[in-house]
Amino acid sequence: MFREIGIPFLIGLCVFMTGLHFMRTGLEALAANRLQDILLKFTRTPFRGFVTGTITTAFLQSSSAITVLTIGFVNAGVLTFAQSIGIILGSNIGTTITTQILALKIEDFALPLLILGTILWMLPQLIVSRLGKTTAGFGMIFLGIDYMQKIASPIKEHGLIQWVIDYGGHPILAGIVIGAVFTALIHSSSACIAITMGFYASHAIPLPFAIAVVFGSNVGTCVTAILAAVNANTASKQVALSHFLLNLAGVILFAPLIPLISQFTPYLSDNPATQIAHIQTLFNVICSVAVLPFCEPFARGITYLIPDETVTWKRGDFHRLP
């Protein structure tokens, strides 16, 4: 069983994560310091931070990277905790761009992208080389996904998913836990959702379970921010806690609605993988937009839970730059 499932999965996951790293670092190099400048300059209000978080996460293809970067700025004192909330809400939307791209099913171009990117990467021109690294990483992402999705049939034949559902107590609860734990372990909600899309498209898992895994991945992705804030200052811990509570609250509110969501999901698209991508996008957009008008009271609540002994949060924090 390990040869059929474990080895292909580990190889595919390694290729995917390496590709994600190449693409992200390539994009960071192309952006140089402009990404940091954007985060620092365009976060005066929650709405501006929201838009900035959405755009920068969509560009960098990683909500965890933006959240950790934000925690670093808060820890350094160049961003206030209040200013970070809009960025966090926006990053939850920006990360859905990755899933939507994965749903385009362009894995037939994965190998050409990898070859082209590698050639460009080896050229001496700096910008072309960085673009090549990004392109090669993009190709590796699709190769990794294609490899990981090959284990869907063996898993279905061995009844592993059904065993998890039967012994997990409840299929929706089991899906949320699996999504959260798996994402926390690999530090990538994109990989978790990509695998889920492939499994559902292969009929290896039922739709309610797939949706639950997507919701759970939103909680698991908070682990990276929590780890980044462990040895940071109080404001950074406030950022990590707010990220976790926002995502957890969304899952708690929407989990009971998964049976109802499953009924209208087929109307979103004829493609099963695209259905999952759209569900993630709708979930993240609704949760973030719903919280955006209440950033001030939410910030006060977090400050109450983790009081800052040296800096008192003020209403004006939302309308000034440090």
Side-chain angles (χ1 to χ4, degrees):
M1 186 182 299
F2 181 74
R3 179 179 295 181
E4 286 183 282
I5 298 174
I7 293 177
F9 172 75
L10 291 175
I11 293 175
L13 182 61
C14 288
V15 173
F16 178 92
M17 297 301 292
T18 303
L20 195 63
H21 173 73
F22 284 165
M23 184 176 68
R24 185 166 63 241
T25 53
L27 288 171
E28 286 177 343
L30 282 171
N33 294 324
R34 288 187 290 273
L35 190 62
Q36 297 183 15
D37 293 339
I38 290 172
L39 281 177
L40 293 176
K41 291 180 180 179
F42 299 101
T43 55
R44 186 186 297 265
T45 66
F47 179 76
R48 291 177 67 177
F50 172 77
V51 174
T52 301
T54 301
I55 295 173
T56 53
T57 304
F59 176 78
L60 203 59
Q61 300 288 298
S62 174
S63 61
S64 296
I66 293 299
T67 304
V68 169
L69 189 61
T70 302
I71 287 175
F73 288 151
V74 172
N75 188 52
V78 294
L79 276 182
T80 65
F81 160 61
Q83 289 171 321
S84 73
I85 295 178
I87 298 175
I88 293 170
L89 293 175
S91 70
N92 282 346
I93 295 180
T95 193
T96 64
I97 302 298
T98 306
T99 311
Q100 292 292 342
I101 293 174
L102 298 178
L104 295 176
K105 304 293 290 182
I106 58 174
E107 58 266 18
D108 291 342
F109 300 96
L111 192 56
L113 284 172
L114 176 57
I115 295 173
L116 175 63
T118 303
I119 294 172
L120 295 177
W121 194 356
M122 296 171 65
L123 296 178
Q125 292 85 357
L126 199 58
I127 294 180
V128 176
S129 177
R130 291 169 176 174
L131 181 62
K133 184 178 183 180
T134 303
T135 305
F138 196 62
M140 290 182 69
I141 285 174
F142 283 97
L143 283 177
I145 290 173
D146 189 50
Y147 213 80
M148 284 189 290
Q149 290 178 354
K150 293 182 184 300
I151 70 173
S153 295
I155 283 181
K156 185 177 180 180
E157 291 173 3
H158 288 288
L160 294 180
I161 297 296
Q162 191 59 47
W163 181 86
V164 170
I165 294 174
D166 291 341
Y167 291 93
H170 192 282
I172 291 177
L173 179 60
I176 291 173
V177 171
I178 289 174
V181 172
F182 184 73
T183 301
L185 289 174
I186 66 174
H187 297 282
S188 175
S189 60
S190 298
C192 180
I193 296 173
I195 296 170
T196 304
M197 289 163 59
F199 279 18
Y200 175 58
S202 302
H203 308 289
I205 56 176
L207 180 57
F209 183 82
I211 296 174
V213 172
V214 171
F215 288 0
S217 70
N218 266 36
V219 176
T221 196
C222 300
V223 170
T224 306
I226 293 172
L227 293 175
V230 169
N231 294 319
N233 61 16
T234 300
S236 299
K237 290 180 173 65
Q238 291 170 343
V239 175
L241 179 62
S242 63
H243 186 215
F244 173 72
L245 291 181
L246 284 169
N247 288 14
L248 180 63
V251 173
I252 292 174
L253 288 173
F254 279 86
L257 302 178
I258 287 180
L260 180 63
I261 295 172
S262 300
Q263 294 181 14
F264 77 79
T265 297
Y267 295 101
L268 297 176
S269 173
D270 294 331
N271 187 304
T274 305
Q275 292 173 10
I276 301 300
H278 289 348
I279 285 295
Q280 188 218 10
T281 299
L282 288 172
F283 172 69
N284 285 19
V285 168
I286 291 172
C287 290
S288 295
V289 172
V291 175
L292 187 60
F294 306 100
C295 281
E296 289 191 26
F298 179 73
R300 292 183 183 277
I302 295 296
T303 307
Y304 176 79
L305 293 174
I306 304 182
D308 195 325
E309 297 178 357
T310 58
V311 180
T312 303
W313 181 85
K314 302 179 182 63
R315 179 184 293 268
D317 284 344
F318 276 105
H319 307 290
R320 67 176 177 85
L321 286 171

